[in-house]
């Protein structure tokens, strides 16, 4: 695990990533999180899904913008992208959707932690429910009470979505499950 990467280190990784993908010598990359570690999957010009976890630097040199810039250079617009543990604002959501219309956004139990993540609720309320996947990032994240994330937390997240969107829990479960099935091309 790497901690506290510098802006230059992030730039170097993204530059390396761009070269490797163009050369088709890599399809798996770890998370792009300057303050933690790197994990995820990148597809390049190939036609399969991508899980992207971009979090860290903010502002003019945001990790999100840099990640999007690299992906725009090396990937087709119709690639399917899963923005894992999305914590961006509504402008970032719209930016990703404009470049990658098949992008889906994973919303984790951060939605339940309003004190720590006060902006996620307003972002989610302005997103299209057809762009959302419910996830927990189990067992890596814990909630405010210190409980380790587990798959059963999806119920609490779905209930919060139902409240926010003023729809039934079954509708949230149906729509977000359908979103995941479409994203990963899973037949059921």
């Amino acid at each position: 695990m790497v901690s506290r990467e510098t802006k230059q280190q992030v730039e170097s990784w993204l530059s390396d990533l761009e070269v490797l993908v163009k050369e088709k010598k890599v399809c798996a990359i770890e998370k792009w999180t300057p303050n933690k570690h790197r994990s995820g999957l990148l597809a390049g010009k190939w036609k399969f899904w991508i899980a992207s976890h971009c979090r860290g630097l903010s502002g003019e040199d945001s990790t999100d913008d840099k990640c999007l810039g690299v992906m725009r250079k090396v990937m087709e617009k119709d690639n399917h992208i899963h923005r894992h543990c999305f914590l961006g604002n509504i402008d970032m959501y719209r930016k990703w959707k404009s470049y990658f219309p098949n992008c889906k956004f994973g919303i984790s139990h951060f939605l339940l932690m309003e004190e720590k993540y006060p902006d996620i609720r307003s972002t989610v309320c302005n997103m299209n429910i057809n762009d959302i996947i419910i996830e927990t990032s189990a067992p890596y994240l814990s909630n405010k009470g210190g409980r380790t994330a587990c798959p059963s937390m999806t119920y609490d997240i779905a209930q919060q979505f139902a409240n926010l969107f003023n729809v039934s829990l079954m509708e949230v479960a149906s729509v977000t499950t359908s979103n995941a099935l479409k994203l990963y091309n899973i037949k059921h």
Side-chain angles (χ1 to χ4, degrees):
M1 180 179 276
V2 179
S3 62
R4 300 191 193 259
E5 291 86 358
T6 65
K7 178 182 169 186
Q8 292 78 21
Q9 183 62 55
V10 172
E11 293 284 343
S12 174
W13 286 335
L14 291 173
S15 176
D16 291 347
L17 172 64
E18 186 176 346
V19 169
L20 290 170
V21 171
K22 283 182 178 176
E23 294 295 320
K24 296 188 179 184
K25 293 184 178 178
V26 67
C27 63
I29 297 294
E30 292 292 304
K31 262 182 214 155
W32 299 348
T33 52
N35 298 324
K36 298 205 185 234
H37 58 285
R38 304 178 286 164
S39 75
L41 218 53
L42 186 63
K45 298 290 184 185
W46 306 293
K47 295 293 180 191
F48 56 91
W49 65 268
I50 297 141
S52 171
H53 189 162
C54 304
R55 194 167 60 218
L57 299 174
S58 59
E60 191 175 309
D61 292 320
S62 81
T63 303
D64 233 329
D65 282 325
K66 296 211 177 284
C67 178
L68 179 58
V70 169
M71 292 173 106
R72 286 181 59 205
K73 288 180 188 177
V74 298
M75 291 178 11
E76 300 293 332
K77 189 172 180 86
D78 64 343
N79 254 98
H80 290 252
I81 298 172
H82 175 178
R83 281 298 317 275
H84 173 61
C85 287
F86 181 69
L87 279 175
N89 60 30
I90 195 65
D91 292 332
M92 191 56 64
Y93 160 76
R94 290 179 180 141
K95 199 181 288 190
W96 277 82
K97 284 301 288 185
S98 73
Y99 293 122
F100 297 107
N102 294 321
C103 187
K104 302 293 184 198
F105 298 80
I107 305 297
S108 70
H109 65 283
F110 292 144
L111 183 63
L112 307 174
M113 298 165 37
E114 292 182 57
E115 311 81 43
K116 189 170 182 179
Y117 303 101
D119 299 332
I120 190 68
R121 176 186 277 238
S122 64
T123 298
V124 167
C125 286
N126 287 291
M127 293 172 74
N128 184 327
I129 195 169
N130 293 308
D131 292 333
I132 294 172
I133 296 173
I134 294 174
E135 60 188 14
T136 64
S137 201
Y140 301 105
L141 298 175
S142 60
N143 67 10
K144 64 183 175 186
R147 179 177 154 216
T148 300
C150 60
S152 66
M153 284 181 147
T154 57
Y155 177 86
D156 298 330
I157 300 164
Q159 186 63 59
Q160 181 74 323
F161 271 107
N163 295 339
L164 293 174
F165 285 99
N166 198 28
V167 296
S168 73
L169 180 62
M170 287 306 297
E171 184 175 346
V172 170
S174 175
V175 170
T176 57
T177 298
S178 176
N179 294 344
L181 294 172
K182 288 176 191 170
L183 175 68
Y184 290 104
N185 198 27
I186 299 170
K187 309 287 187 232
H188 75 293

